[in-house]
Amino acid sequence: MEPLVQVATQPGAPFRLPPQFEGLRRLAYNVWWMWHPRAALLFQRIDANTWTRYRNPIAVLESAISWDPLLEDPGFIAEYEDVVADLDHYLANGADHWFHRAHARQLGGPIAYFCAEFAFHESVGIYSGGLGVLAGDHMKSASDMALPVVGVGLLYRKGYFRQSIDADGHQEHAYPDFDLARLPVLRVLDRLGDPLFVPVELPDRVITAAVWRLQVGRVPVLLLDTDHPGNDESDRPITHILYVRGREMRLHQELVLGAGGTRALRALGIAPAVWHLNEGHSAFLLVERVREHVAARMPLEEAWATVRRSSVFTIHTPVSAGNERFDADLVRRVAGPLCAGGAAPGSASVPMEEILVRGRGADDDPAQFDMTAFSLRLANGTNGVSRLHAQTANDTWERLLGGRTIKPITNGVHTPTWVGRAMRELFERLLDADLDDLDGQSDAERFWDRVGRLPDAELWEAHLHQKRELSVFARQRLTAQLARHGEAPAALTEIGQWLDPATLTIGFARRFATYKRAALLFSDVDRLARLVHDANRPVQFIFAGKAHPADRPGQQVIQSIFARSRSPELRGRIFVLEDYDMRVAKLMVRGVDVWLNNPRRPLEASGTSGMKASVNGVLNLSVLDGWWDEGWTGDNGWAIGGRVTTPDEGAQDWADALDLYRILEEEVVPRYYDRGADGLPRAWLELMRRAMTTTIWRFSTTRMLHEYAEQLYLPAAGIAPAATAKRRVVTEAG
Ligand SMILES: *Cc1c(COP(=O)(O)O)cnc(C)c1O
């Protein structure tokens, strides 16, 4: 059996290519290009305008370009052939990787990975934030490591909102309307070669979901979509909007994801050995699988136990209030027909009250169905996303866990996605790094251990290059925003002097939830004004981030920071960029000097943006929460406050603010501006190297997937620990 999953699809958009360049179609429909800058550059070379506007290879290939000059450009042809050969080589060599050699055949089937959102690239807007980025990075690393994984999610036609900020600082929401012909998705075919639709029973009707494939290197991701003419007009929008507000609509989405996703796998003959629920939104996959077993005449109790053995769950929220919950009556009504078997083949029912009792939350309220609690009770293994988070989650859920524990598997980031091009070029040229194969490197080849050898001048130049890229981008975005607000031409001209890359630049970008305390920096505005306006050692701050459309307090924080950025005392030193997305995230985590994070401990489960910054040599200045509690070594960035907190929030906030100012004034600013005769900040560069060395491997999704494989996937597949031990030998030898 071939453990890597293959999924047949219809051909893509019918644009014509010169036969010599047919390989571009394969490149455009395998998002491998998203973490291979040479492939992205190829599309940019074909049509720079379309690329700059959409950052989307399919849009480039569809635009009416003249191929003639390229057909006569030996440089382009050579680069094209090289890149296509790289992709083919990448795809052909899966069997070389450790997991494949050691376990894939034993596994007996792939790992099905379910998530409500996936973030692969800014051109595919089916994500909102951290959860999606983690899922996207998980898929990319699974591909790099040739793990047999199939992803399952929803294809949101309108995605998550695009943010703009008006002249008064109010967040405005606009929902895009994606043209599927321009997304790198293809319709999945069933085993007869017809477009696949899967049924989902809802009250008084059966809807169907079309299934699309988004190919991530070696890993297919199946995306379900209810917006097709076979459904009633009122059912078509079910998969339109990510994290839709209406509870009933949200429940519909989660039925499509969990039950529809399971049926899509079945229809394709894919038999997962392990089912991974990344967050509880997909928990109805558990119900659907129990129903299947009951339909095959398994006793109900045994069916629950069987499903549990092969299921694993990743919990993401530190406090029970943050979990997905539905009124039990809503679940009875909306999920009732599905649980009763409905029209599915081999109809059989799972008693609703059995489902609801397993979904009682930590407060045991019988009127609520808690997706996290349900997943926890039905998982063979569960992990939290950092050490500290696992501890917090174990406390929160202790009563429900009945002696089992939530394991810590700390998040990571997909290094090739987040390392900037200038820094990557340095790693490859000076350290002989192979970013596609982090776990294939023997001890002697581990380039991150040799980062200490990067010469000062070259490291600083690569960093400045990434800073300049951010500065150019941020000026453009601010100009567009302030022009829309009606600022005068003279005011717009002034922006050209802002965001000087020579100035110490501090970035803060994340979702604006109130526990993240984005406005902590403004606790003492006079002190902040003195800091940022120091004539010899100026400082500037760039903020970005969205607040959920329903989160009014979060939106008020944006408004207050926007007002500060326009105030006479801080103007020109504080900036707020609109429409935070993966593109802005990439530019910011690469292009600032310091990454600020000051949540209220321990409410940040992990955080990953700080990891993205650190692998670029950008220094973290953060509360000891989430990943930084274990990532801080004392010499790779700074810790705000300590590990002991007081329940008096006001007092804690003030104490943290004072510590933040102290570190900025006494450590960050002096160290940054301490220059040698050649203008290089030697001590700062040393910190940058420490940051990279201590995080590139430890906070990579490669390391994370090793842990998922060993601690969750293999046990859930019933593979004995002895076999796990043998793998270590294989990796170390290889
Ligand atoms: C990485 C990322 C996040 C998550 O970062 P946090 O540190 O968890 O806030 C959110 N949104 C985008 C666009 C990202 O790239």
Side-chain angles (χ1 to χ4, degrees), residues 127-130 133 418 509-511 516 580-582 585 604 607-610 612:
Y127 66 94
S128 110
V133 171
W418 296 104
R510 49 189 49 84
R511 186 164 53 88
K516 303 210 185 214
Y580 184 52
D581 68 354
M582 268 184 93
E604 176 98 305
T608 52
S609 57
K612 303 167 190 170

Side-chain angles (χ1 to χ4, degrees), residues 200-205 247-260 263 281 283-288 291 304 326-344 348-356 369 371 374:
V200 179
E201 297 82 10
L202 292 172
D204 307 319
R205 70 218 191 264
R247 298 310 296 161
E248 189 163 342
M249 195 60 148
R250 179 82 76 93
L251 182 56
H252 281 71
Q253 290 187 334
E254 299 191 356
L255 290 168
V256 171
L257 174 63
R263 291 175 183 179
H281 303 111
F284 284 101
L285 76 85
L286 301 163
V287 175
E288 170 61 7
R291 196 197 59 73
W304 285 110
F326 294 101
D327 284 341
D329 281 337
L330 184 68
V331 176
R332 281 192 187 92
R333 182 164 61 78
V334 175
L338 192 125
C339 303
S349 70
V350 187
M352 180 54 76
E353 297 313 309
E354 290 229 1
I355 297 168
L356 292 176
F369 180 73
M371 301 288 272
F374 186 68

